[in-house]
Every structure is written in structure tokens, then in C-alpha cells.
Amino acid sequence: MTQGFGFGILKVEGNDMERWREIKDFEMYEVSDLGRVRRKEATVHHPGKVNIKSWFGTGGYLHLHLYKDSKNYDKAVHRLVAIAFIPNPLNMPEVNHKGAKADCRASQLNWTDKRGNSVDAVKTGRTPGDGITFLKSTGRWRARWNPKACVREHIGVFDTFEEAH
């Protein structure tokens, strides 16, 4: 089975039945465990069930617009899937992708905290683990290091990546 997102096609493996659940606080929409979103019922402007179009937003995550009470809400697809299908008994605040950010299937997501998300990003090669980050607000590079577990020390802010490195 393939799944279109407006920007390319994502292969979905297996023959499992797609499961749909109502989106919390947006009763007229459903999200599936395969990362698709649709209207539950037809409207005057959208006759028949409509799959909601998504786009790649900030950080490369899939986003879409949901409407409620004549207002437009920008939502990240992976968070909608996680809230609907993945238990979060430890009340973790972030959703981690086990693979590509465009793959919003429930089987490819898990709840974590900021540190766990960062550690996974370094392990999987999505982010270098060199302690250097680009600060968009200033256009400069920040260098930090971890002398021991759970301790991060600031080295400085530099004009170029090479200087920070």
C-alpha cells in the first residue's frame, strides 16, 4: 500500500487494517494509525469524506489545518497519531520518530522527553552529537560539551561552525 502526502509517496508495509479514531477536541475529524487524517462526514464545501492535505512545516514535520468554531488550527500529524494511538502513562511531552519524519505511522512513533528525543536523534544520525548547534535567532553557532552525564557546560558562541568546532 502507498500513502500520498502531497510531497512524494510513502510506502506502508504489511496488510494490517487501518484503524481510525476521533481527534481529541476536533470531533469532526479522524486520524488513522497510518498517519492519515480525514473528515468524518461530508460538508457543503467538501462532499464525501475528504483526506486532509498535509505539508512539510517547521523542522520537516507534516502539518495540516483543522477547523473548529470558524477558526483554523495548525496541527502536527505525528502528535495527532501519538495522542490517538500510543499510550503515554509517564506523561511524556514529546513524540519521537523512530525513522523518517514523514513517516507518521503509530508503529514508528513513541513518547519521550526532550533528552530522549535528542539522544535518539544522535543515535540515528538525524543530528550530529558534536555539541554544536546553530542559533537561528542570532545567526551564530553555540558550542557546549558534557563533562559528565546530565551536566552541560557552555563553551561559547561563534560566527562560524569551524570556530565553534
Side-chain angles (χ1 to χ4, degrees):
M1 176 191 311
T2 58
Q3 184 173 3
F5 286 109
F7 294 99
I9 296 201
L10 172 67
K11 290 245 183 221
V12 179
E13 303 298 328
N15 294 326
D16 295 332
M17 289 287 294
E18 185 171 17
R19 296 176 298 152
W20 293 89
R21 293 195 179 150
E22 185 176 280
I23 296 176
K24 183 181 179 202
D25 300 325
F26 293 89
E27 299 79 23
M28 64 187 291
Y29 297 95
E30 294 178 321
V31 63
S32 83
D33 58 342
L34 297 181
R36 299 191 310 155
V37 178
R38 69 182 181 191
R39 291 180 185 278
K40 284 170 58 173
E41 297 182 20
T43 65
V44 173
H45 299 290
H46 301 283
K49 294 183 180 177
V50 176
N51 286 325
I52 308 301
K53 291 184 181 181
S54 57
W55 68 89
F56 290 104
T58 306
Y61 296 101
L62 283 170
H63 284 255
L64 49 75
H65 286 296
L66 299 181
Y67 296 90
K68 181 177 178 180
D69 301 327
S70 300
K71 291 183 184 176
N72 176 16
Y73 296 87
D74 183 356
K75 296 291 181 181
V77 175
H78 67 285
R79 286 197 61 84
L80 296 174
V81 173
I83 289 166
F85 293 98
I86 302 171
N88 189 7
L90 299 177
N91 200 26
M92 293 292 193
E94 295 190 12
V95 179
N96 179 52
H97 283 81
K98 297 176 188 176
K101 291 179 183 180
D103 189 350
C104 295
R105 293 177 292 160
S107 62
Q108 296 300 305
L109 303 171
N110 65 290
W111 287 101
T112 189
D113 58 10
K114 188 163 190 69
R115 186 176 194 295
N117 216 344
S118 296
V119 167
D120 187 67
V122 171
K123 279 183 185 177
T124 59
R126 293 189 316 264
T127 301
D130 55 13
I132 300 171
T133 54
F134 183 71
L135 304 171
K136 289 182 183 176
S137 60
T138 62
R140 299 180 77 200
W141 296 88
R142 175 176 56 201
R144 299 185 290 189
W145 75 293
N146 296 58
K148 59 184 178 181
C150 300
V151 175
R152 182 180 297 162
E153 292 187 12
H154 178 76
I155 297 171
V157 178
F158 304 89
D159 292 325
T160 67
F161 174 83
E162 292 73 24
E163 288 177 290
H165 200 272

